[in-house]
Amino acid sequence: MRAENNRKIILASASPRRISLLKEWGLCFEVLPSSIDEKTKLKKPSYIVKDLSYKKGVDVARKIPKALVISADTIVFLNGKIVGKPGNKKESEKIIRELNGSVHKVYSGVSIIDNLSGRSSIFYDVAFVKMRKLPEVKLKELFGKHMDKAGAYAIQDSGDDFVEKIYGDYYTVVGLPYIKLARELKKFGVVLKDTCKK
């Protein structure tokens, strides 16, 4: 099935990682990124990713009447503080050095908003990531390499050997927790691996 009652499925994100994952999982969807200002007064990581993912979803859902909108937000949390996307190469270097040899958390929040039924689902997942202690020469290769990603690193990049081990769902770290997303989508009549027949 593509979607119930001519309902479009929309991904409210321009993230190449999320787009690639949903295609890999067999979902038929269109991309319409949210344009909200990603700010929140919340402090708890799980609340932040749920809040921002929902705001992104609402922003896009308002624009398309018959749509099921999937939106997400991901943050890295280290030593009691949020590690965001680097603004420049100097910030990237600072982040990489802080993460070097660390164990940190990655939170991914997801919202599913269905305009036809008026129902929604907001959830999150968290994974622990253990980083290798890299020598200076290896660290320098990472400076400025992943400017568009929280934590300034990309777990899915085969050229990086920064990540040593993941405790939890690998896809949570990439930006879309597969197990929880698949479970919640079923409640809206959407089954991954079955929505886009080739």
Side-chain angles (χ1 to χ4, degrees), residues 4-32:
E4 295 178 342
N5 303 320
N6 298 316
R7 176 183 56 184
K8 287 184 178 180
I9 299 177
I10 307 292
L11 174 63
S13 171
S15 164
R17 297 175 294 172
R18 295 189 181 111
I19 293 170
S20 178
L21 285 179
L22 289 183
K23 285 181 178 178
E24 178 185 329
W25 297 339
L27 193 70
C28 250
F29 64 98
E30 297 176 17
V31 175
L32 181 59

Side-chain angles (χ1 to χ4, degrees), residues 23-79:
K23 285 181 178 178
E24 178 185 329
W25 297 339
L27 193 70
C28 250
F29 64 98
E30 297 176 17
V31 175
L32 181 59
S34 166
S35 56
I36 69 160
D37 184 4
E38 296 184 28
K39 291 182 179 179
T40 178
K41 294 181 179 179
L42 300 174
K43 301 298 182 184
K44 193 173 180 179
S46 59
Y47 291 175
I48 291 171
V49 292
K50 287 192 294 182
D51 180 54
L52 291 179
S53 74
Y54 184 68
K55 286 177 178 176
K56 292 175 185 178
V58 169
D59 177 54
V60 172
R62 286 172 178 163
K63 302 169 185 175
I64 305 177
K66 292 184 178 180
L68 182 142
V69 178
I70 301 170
S71 52
D73 189 74
T74 300
I75 61 174
V76 172
F77 198 67
L78 172 68
N79 297 330

Side-chain angles (χ1 to χ4, degrees), residues 36 60 108 112 117-118 134 176:
I36 69 160
V60 172
S108 279
I112 302 170
S117 68
L134 296 179
L176 274 179

Side-chain angles (χ1 to χ4, degrees), residues 17 74-76 82-100 104 106 131 134 138-157 160 162-163 173:
R17 297 175 294 172
T74 300
I75 61 174
V76 172
I82 295 170
V83 180
K85 298 175 184 177
N88 51 53
K89 189 173 180 179
K90 189 172 182 180
E91 286 184 14
S92 171
E93 177 179 349
K94 182 176 182 293
I95 291 171
I96 292 297
R97 290 191 185 282
E98 287 178 349
L99 291 178
N100 195 31
H104 62 272
V106 177
M131 312 300 274
L134 296 179
K138 286 288 187 180
L139 286 181
K140 287 182 177 180
E141 293 177 3
L142 295 173
F143 298 161
K145 188 175 180 181
H146 301 292
M147 300 296 290
D148 62 332
K149 295 175 177 62
Y153 73 92
I155 192 170
Q156 73 277 17
D157 193 326
D160 291 350
F162 202 17
V163 176
V173 184

